[in-house]
Amino acid sequence: MGVGERKGSVLEDLIERAGGCAVIDGGFATQLEKHGASINDPLWSALCLIKDPHLIKRVHMEYLEAGADVLITSSYQATLPGFLSKGLSMEEAESLLEKSVKLAIEARDKFWDSFKDVPGHSYNRALVAASIGSYGAYLADGSEYSGCYGPDTNLEKLKDFHRHRLQILVNAGADLLAFETIPNKLEAQACVELLKEENIEIPSWICFSSVDGENAPSGESFQDCLDILNKSNKVDAIGINCAPPHFIESLIGKFKGLTSKAIVVYPNSGEVWDGRAKRWLPSKCFGDDKFELFAARWRDAGAQLIGGCCRTTPSTVRAISNALRGLTETSLDSYQL
């Protein structure tokens, strides 16, 4: 699978076309809920692959209109065992994973066909990043923010959990892989070994979460975690997602000292998710104006891919795009579908 010339350059080319810093999309479940989707379920946003695929495509289009250079698929919490637990067959589960990529590709191609020949437009042809959520995301118990998987979880178990999903997403035509909210060194190692064992030739990034702004959620140092990733030629970018935005600038500085790979950041709004109670807790949040201000600071600090995660919206991504491209609101609005 994926055998042939390594295609890591497609991500490098996108970053270059975007002026040195590309824009990632924003919160997916947040936007689905705004459109009426009910996702209070262990499958979370992946439930819409079964019930409301048209909403998934709608949200992808909204982020493209907002200026996203990278679309992340709706597969974060889409897992084969998760679908099987709903009574679906293995064939149906595999088809839904494929659909997560196909919906994003269809949205990207439709959007790009509308703009590629328009003189002076500000968009890039977006890449589709297949989301691979952590094992903790599948458990739906908040452990992606603690890294506490228990004594029965070892390297081989994590690789077995991720392997088939990774194969399906690659074969579905994703441009790159996005491993998200990785909470510990063990799972980071599992991801790296899988990329090698499966001879994956499309680019990938691996993003950790952080609850203290200093370490991985497990308490392990980022130096220990990044040492594993730095040895892999299959990992093209390393970063942080779904951490509070006020952690990001210092973490970029930390990562700059630990890796020569591209740095990717897409924080949440600053609200805190209670994984056990399944609700957002009041917290100090970043509004779109702060994202616009800090996106430029994060770029100047060394980030090469910037977006938003939970509780951010197309409006947030538009603010980020404005900041990184030096565009006015009207210059993007004039090209909306």
Side-chain angles (χ1 to χ4, degrees), residues 277-291:
K278 301 290 190 298
R279 64 189 181 96
W280 291 98
L281 303 176
S283 182
K284 184 178 180 181
C285 301
F286 267 35
D288 294 346
D289 56 340
K290 280 196 174 182
F291 268 97

Side-chain angles (χ1 to χ4, degrees), residues 122-183:
S122 58
Y123 297 107
N124 295 302
R125 183 178 183 274
L127 297 181
V128 170
S131 172
I132 300 177
S134 64
Y135 181 57
Y138 157 69
L139 296 176
D141 61 359
S143 56
E144 71 264 48
Y145 301 108
S146 71
C148 298
Y149 288 166
D152 295 332
T153 303
N154 56 31
L155 186 66
E156 291 306 314
K157 180 175 181 178
L158 290 173
K159 287 197 289 185
D160 288 344
F161 170 76
H162 285 299
R163 191 183 304 275
H164 195 187
R165 175 168 58 158
L166 180 148
Q167 294 168 339
I168 293 167
L169 293 170
V170 171
N171 288 335
D175 298 308
L176 63 145
L177 297 172
F179 294 92
E180 302 187 286
T181 60
I182 301 301

Side-chain angles (χ1 to χ4, degrees), residues 32-33 36-41 44 47-48 51-52 55:
L32 287 171
E33 287 183 312
S38 177
I39 57 175
N40 185 16
D41 186 273
W44 201 38
L47 188 64
C48 287
K51 294 188 172 184
D52 300 298
L55 291 184

Side-chain angles (χ1 to χ4, degrees), residues 66-325:
D69 299 313
V70 180
L71 288 181
I72 299 178
T73 65
S74 53
S75 53
Y76 174 79
Q77 212 138 323
T79 66
L80 296 171
F83 287 135
L84 294 175
S85 72
K86 293 291 184 182
L88 300 175
S89 68
M90 179 59 77
E91 184 179 2
E92 289 170 327
E94 292 171 347
S95 178
L96 287 170
L97 277 172
E98 292 173 358
K99 182 187 284 188
S100 71
V101 176
K102 299 300 184 185
L103 289 170
I105 290 174
E106 289 170 7
R108 185 269 311 279
D109 290 349
K110 178 181 179 181
F111 184 82
W112 185 241
D113 286 346
S114 299
F115 282 96
K116 63 183 179 182
D117 297 324
V118 176
H121 75 81
S122 58
Y123 297 107
N124 295 302
R125 183 178 183 274
L127 297 181
V128 170
S131 172
I132 300 177
S134 64
Y135 181 57
Y138 157 69
L139 296 176
D141 61 359
S143 56
E144 71 264 48
Y145 301 108
S146 71
C148 298
Y149 288 166
D152 295 332
T153 303
N154 56 31
L155 186 66
E156 291 306 314
K157 180 175 181 178
L158 290 173
K159 287 197 289 185
D160 288 344
F161 170 76
H162 285 299
R163 191 183 304 275
H164 195 187
R165 175 168 58 158
L166 180 148
Q167 294 168 339
I168 293 167
L169 293 170
V170 171
N171 288 335
D175 298 308
L176 63 145
L177 297 172
F179 294 92
E180 302 187 286
T181 60
I182 301 301
N184 55 37
K185 183 171 69 173
L186 183 68
E187 192 161 15
Q189 183 176 348
C191 297
V192 166
E193 292 190 13
L194 265 183
L195 290 169
K196 181 178 180 180
E197 290 171 11
E198 297 299 316
N199 194 23
I200 301 301
E201 297 297 336
I202 61 174
S204 66
W205 73 56
I206 296 180
C207 282
F208 299 87
S209 51
S210 182
V211 295
D212 63 2
E214 295 288 336
N215 304 293
S218 60
E220 295 163 310
S221 73
F222 280 125
Q223 179 169 352
D224 287 345
C225 294
L226 267 60
D227 279 348
I228 295 168
L229 308 188
N230 285 332
K231 296 172 184 176
S232 172
N233 64 357
K234 302 286 188 180
V235 178
D236 300 87
I238 302 172
I240 294 287
N241 77 287
C242 214
H246 56 275
F247 290 168
I248 297 301
E249 191 166 358
S250 63
L251 285 172
I252 293 170
K254 181 187 288 286
F255 279 34
K256 283 289 288 183
L258 296 174
T259 187
S260 60
K261 297 182 185 291
I263 293 175
V264 49
V265 294
Y266 46 115
N268 57 38
S269 68
E271 293 174 77
V272 177
W273 175 249
D274 185 333
R276 295 191 179 277
K278 301 290 190 298
R279 64 189 181 96
W280 291 98
L281 303 176
S283 182
K284 184 178 180 181
C285 301
F286 267 35
D288 294 346
D289 56 340
K290 280 196 174 182
F291 268 97
E292 186 165 4
L293 171 65
F294 278 82
R297 289 176 55 165
W298 297 337
R299 175 200 59 201
D300 295 345
Q304 291 178 276
L305 293 138
I306 299 174
C309 202
C310 293
R311 311 294 276 185
T312 63
T313 69
S315 177
T316 312
V317 169
R318 185 181 302 280
I320 293 170
S321 179
N322 288 346
L324 298 183
R325 293 173 179 160

